[in-house]
Amino acid sequence: MTTSTRDDAPTTSRDRRARSRRTLIVSSSVLAIASLLSLFVGVVNVAPWSIFEADTDAYRALVIARIPRLIALLLAGSSLAVAGVIMQQVTRNRFVSPTTAGTVESAVLGIVLATMWFPANSLLVRMLVAIATSLLGTFVFIRILRRIRIVDIIVVPLLGLMFAAVVSAITVFLAYRYDLLQLVDTWTTGSFSRVLRGRYEPLYAVLIGGVVAYVFAARFTVVGMGENFAVNLGINYHFVLNLGLVIASVNTAVVVVVVGAIPFLGLIVPNVISMWAGDNLQRTLPLTALAGAGFVLVCDVLGRVVRRPYEIPTGTIAGIVGAVVFIALILRARTDRT
Amino acid sequence: MIRTEHLTKSYGPTRVLDDVSISLLEGKLTAIVGANGAGKSTLLSIISRLLDADAGTAHVDELDLATAKSEEVARRLAVLRQDTHMTSRLSVRELVSFGRFPHSGGRLTAEDDRIIAQSLDFFELGDLGDRHLDQLSGGQRQRAFVALALAQDTPYVLLDEPLNNLDMRHSVRMMRHLRGLVEQLNKSVVIVIHDLNFAAAHADHIVALKDGRIIEEGRPVDVMTAPILEKIYELPIDIHVIDGIPYAIYFR
């Protein structure tokens, strides 16, 4: 048999890999330039050459605050986007995400529990408890999803938001009893203004989840094709499904503990990338991570500029933008079905 | 050879498979027929590793399906289930590429590229490779899914109602393609099919199930007789032989 060849389209996987590598190089260059520029936005005036002037205020602002802040928001944005796309693939539902599956709220509950049980707690203890509760919350929600017959796609995020509200109610009740109410706010609204050198480094833990996600990218795509296809292709369906949920829960919990929640990011970024570039995770996972980082970067810079010299929390900006895009996505999904 | 021995499966008090022992012939097109609820889907689910039997065994060559490594079975046997509802946004070529997963994991080699291109060409999908699945007609989608099974490059291919949702023209084309898999590529193809006349016209061997048991098997001319079909379907059926092929007439 002969291979079909067309001059206009790449026909070997090497050509296609080269094409997607170009897309990746372009988008990461854009993100790198934007990241660099973001270092010079803020209350303290910082010029590019400040890095060479140790012991000035500008130098300290750059090294102690701006650079850690940049790293933190890139890590948080990319890992939440990756968490979202994996949840959507393994549950085969475009509206399951850390925000719409109770994952974030369960993590916040964990932080409150850790603060109650171990008053002199370290970040590590908080993180471990938050990981445990977000895993539990996510798996409970997925079980609920399996139990009921979903008639309309809109039911899934609504159910998830209701589940999240129930978990939140428990959190608020406990926080009220133990006088932690003001603290809850710092975790439910993500902000990078508190990120300083020495206080964000545990966030690097999300890189582990990112690497595992990339290694398993093809398997997540196959699981997203359905159990029939996955089993036929010799993939351990339930293992890959659970692995995906674990990566998503752990990454979400780590981000919530260190910087707080960034609502809707894990839902809207993967959906936009999927519309543009499809669902083959081997190809789109890096793009999704970059787009997530870019989204948080834009939200954070907006928050820094809008009310200078004050800051609007990144989570608030993301919530506003995210809610609008979320509604647009739902309307689109409904018109697609009719 | 695909071989089952004493396969039994019950849901609660209902026995859907009752002591089923069959050997599916190599290098032939075998059609499994039977009324709704005869146990066809259950049999296929067990052979495709989606369901465990209560008793009995199923083998593909020397591999016991209950205990063999799933990826090893995936290089021997390709299964396409009837429920191909898919929400993933993939191009036809991406979909078919996943047929290579049992062989090379996620990393495609030049050899994989060649097999993917061949599979696309075999089902006349060469020009549609970059189309997304949701941009295809029902017939094209169905061919894309069977092309995935072909790219898996297994000696055995199992298809659950491959004519589902296809019109007459596309049904005939699909059956000719499946015949081609047997004759040109020397594969063993097993299909579950409702349309007896397509089975009679294209299959080498027909297996008839009723109430979880095999009640007849053999060449189309042997199985497609009025008394046997009446027993299977509890419906009076006339047989008309045209060009040596028995056709069942049962529409009134």
Side-chain angles (χ1 to χ4, degrees):
Chain A
M1 250 182 283
T2 56
T3 50
S4 68
T5 35
R6 290 193 357 242
D7 296 333
D8 53 332
T11 44
T12 69
S13 58
R14 192 193 298 159
D15 290 348
R16 277 188 298 280
R17 273 201 292 275
R19 190 171 56 178
S20 59
R21 200 176 301 131
R22 269 199 300 281
T23 317
L24 211 57
I25 289 170
V26 171
S27 27
S28 40
S29 315
V30 171
L31 182 65
I33 293 166
S35 300
L36 219 57
L37 293 176
S38 82
L39 290 175
F40 309 109
V41 179
V43 181
V44 178
N45 268 321
V46 174
W49 50 87
S50 307
I51 193 80
F52 304 112
E53 300 168 2
D55 282 332
T56 62
D57 279 351
Y59 174 83
R60 276 190 294 274
L62 201 59
V63 174
I64 298 173
R66 297 277 169 83
I67 292 175
R69 179 179 192 146
L70 175 63
I71 295 171
L73 62 86
L74 294 179
L75 286 175
S78 50
S79 61
L80 285 180
V82 167
V85 74
I86 292 176
M87 286 177 94
Q88 284 139 35
Q89 282 282 336
V90 299
T91 63
R92 304 184 74 196
N93 190 310
R94 298 204 182 280
F95 290 109
V96 175
S97 73
T99 315
T100 52
T103 313
V104 169
E105 285 69 17
S106 305
V108 176
L109 174 62
I111 303 174
V112 168
L113 287 177
T115 317
M116 280 163 45
W117 291 335
F118 316 99
N121 66 39
S122 65
L123 194 62
L124 185 71
V125 174
R126 254 188 263 168
M127 195 178 273
L128 290 177
V129 180
I131 287 173
T133 53
S134 73
L135 276 172
L136 189 70
T138 308
F139 276 86
V140 167
F141 178 69
I142 299 303
R143 283 209 88 101
I144 296 176
L145 261 194
R146 291 249 172 99
R147 283 285 168 91
I148 52 168
R149 283 197 90 74
I150 304 294
V151 208
D152 192 327
I153 189 140
I154 200 172
V155 174
V156 173
L158 282 182
L159 198 72
L161 292 170
M162 277 160 60
F163 176 69
V166 172
V167 177
S168 274
I170 301 170
T171 309
V172 169
F173 173 74
L174 290 174
Y176 177 72
R177 292 284 302 265
Y178 287 83
D179 209 14
L180 296 167
L181 221 41
Q182 316 88 296
L183 281 176
V184 170
D185 220 36
T186 63
W187 295 305
T188 46
T189 314
S191 167
F192 294 90
S193 56
R194 296 181 302 272
V195 170
L196 294 173
R197 191 170 67 187
R199 283 176 54 185
Y200 78 100
E201 285 77 0
L203 201 52
Y204 280 108
V206 299
L207 290 176
I208 303 168
V211 170
V212 178
Y214 190 69
V215 170
F216 277 81
R219 284 175 182 81
F220 289 135
T221 311
V222 175
V223 165
M225 288 159 71
E227 185 174 1
N228 290 347
F229 285 97
V231 173
N232 168 47
L233 293 174
I235 282 168
N236 188 336
Y237 178 77
H238 291 283
F239 172 77
V240 175
L241 172 79
N242 290 332
L243 177 74
L245 294 178
V246 168
I247 294 175
S249 307
V250 170
N251 275 5
T252 305
V254 170
V255 172
V256 170
V257 169
V258 180
V259 297
I262 302 165
F264 294 115
L265 161 63
L267 192 142
I268 61 170
V269 170
N271 269 286
V272 170
I273 294 295
S274 156
M275 276 174 207
W276 175 56
D279 284 332
N280 189 353
L281 283 196
Q282 258 188 325
R283 195 160 48 74
T284 61
L285 198 68
L287 281 177
T288 308
L290 285 174
F295 178 74
V296 174
L297 184 66
V298 170
C299 290
D300 189 62
V301 169
L302 273 179
R304 279 188 254 172
V305 221
V306 171
R307 275 182 68 206
R308 263 173 71 114
Y310 303 103
E311 266 192 37
I312 300 172
T314 317
T316 308
I317 306 259
I320 296 166
V321 180
V324 174
V325 180
F326 176 47
I327 290 168
L329 287 172
I330 283 193
L331 291 176
R332 205 186 119 104
R334 298 198 101 191
T335 46
D336 274 0
R337 275 160 51 90
T338 48
Chain B
M1 186 157 67
I2 301 177
R3 197 174 77 248
T4 74
E5 267 156 23
H6 312 296
L7 273 189
T8 301
K9 178 77 188 174
S10 304
Y11 293 115
T14 352
R15 185 162 271 206
V16 282
L17 276 191
D18 193 0
D19 199 23
V20 172
S21 303
I22 43 169
S23 300
L24 299 168
L25 302 173
E26 270 176 60
K28 301 280 187 210
L29 178 58
T30 304
I32 300 178
V33 302
N36 292 332
K40 307 184 298 284
S41 297
T42 308
L43 179 62
L44 210 74
S45 294
I46 293 172
I47 298 180
S48 53
R49 289 163 288 153
L50 288 165
L51 203 62
D52 290 325
D54 296 337
T57 58
H59 284 82
V60 172
D61 296 334
E62 80 287 359
L63 299 175
D64 183 339
L65 289 176
T67 55
K69 284 181 94 173
S70 193
E71 66 233 47
E72 199 171 342
V73 178
R75 288 191 288 267
R76 222 59 89 74
L77 169 70
V79 187
L80 181 67
R81 298 303 311 258
Q82 188 187 340
D83 171 29
T84 51
H85 171 74
M86 191 182 288
T87 49
S88 304
R89 293 190 179 99
L90 297 173
S91 72
V92 174
R93 186 178 286 105
E94 281 175 327
L95 176 83
V96 175
S97 304
F98 279 106
R100 300 306 300 157
F101 195 88
H103 300 273
S104 38
R107 301 199 65 85
L108 298 178
T109 62
E111 168 76 355
D112 293 324
D113 278 337
R114 194 182 58 78
I115 293 172
I116 292 161
Q118 276 183 0
S119 305
L120 288 170
D121 281 350
F122 191 87
F123 286 97
E124 297 161 56
L125 293 164
D127 293 335
L128 301 175
D130 292 317
R131 286 269 195 99
H132 271 215
L133 289 175
D134 50 11
Q135 300 168 315
L136 299 183
S137 70
Q140 292 167 337
R141 268 175 78 95
Q142 190 72 0
R143 275 187 283 147
F145 288 126
V146 186
L148 179 152
L150 176 58
Q152 220 173 313
D153 198 21
T154 53
Y156 304 99
V157 180
L158 241 75
L159 307 168
D160 191 5
E161 298 196 29
L163 306 186
N164 208 11
N165 292 325
L166 298 187
D167 62 21
M168 286 180 287
R169 187 170 81 99
H170 287 103
S171 294
V172 171
R173 274 175 76 182
M174 178 59 77
M175 290 308 286
R176 285 186 188 156
H177 280 310
L178 299 182
R179 210 48 251 169
L181 288 184
V182 172
E183 275 161 22
Q184 297 162 32
L185 305 178
N186 202 25
K187 289 182 186 296
S188 311
V189 179
V190 179
I191 57 174
V192 169
I193 189 166
H194 269 296
D195 193 318
L196 281 174
N197 293 331
F198 271 117
H202 295 273
D204 300 301
H205 194 79
I206 293 181
V207 176
L209 280 174
K210 190 187 183 189
D211 300 331
R213 289 173 167 275
I214 291 174
I215 58 169
E216 276 305 327
E217 64 172 312
R219 293 175 305 159
V221 285
D222 301 328
V223 177
M224 297 275 290
T225 64
I228 292 177
L229 292 186
E230 197 168 332
K231 194 164 73 179
I232 300 172
Y233 291 99
E234 294 169 5
L235 181 78
I237 294 175
D238 283 339
I239 298 296
H240 294 260
V241 180
I242 301 169
D243 291 341
I245 295 168
Y247 290 100
I249 305 297
Y250 50 86
F251 300 98
R252 294 185 61 158

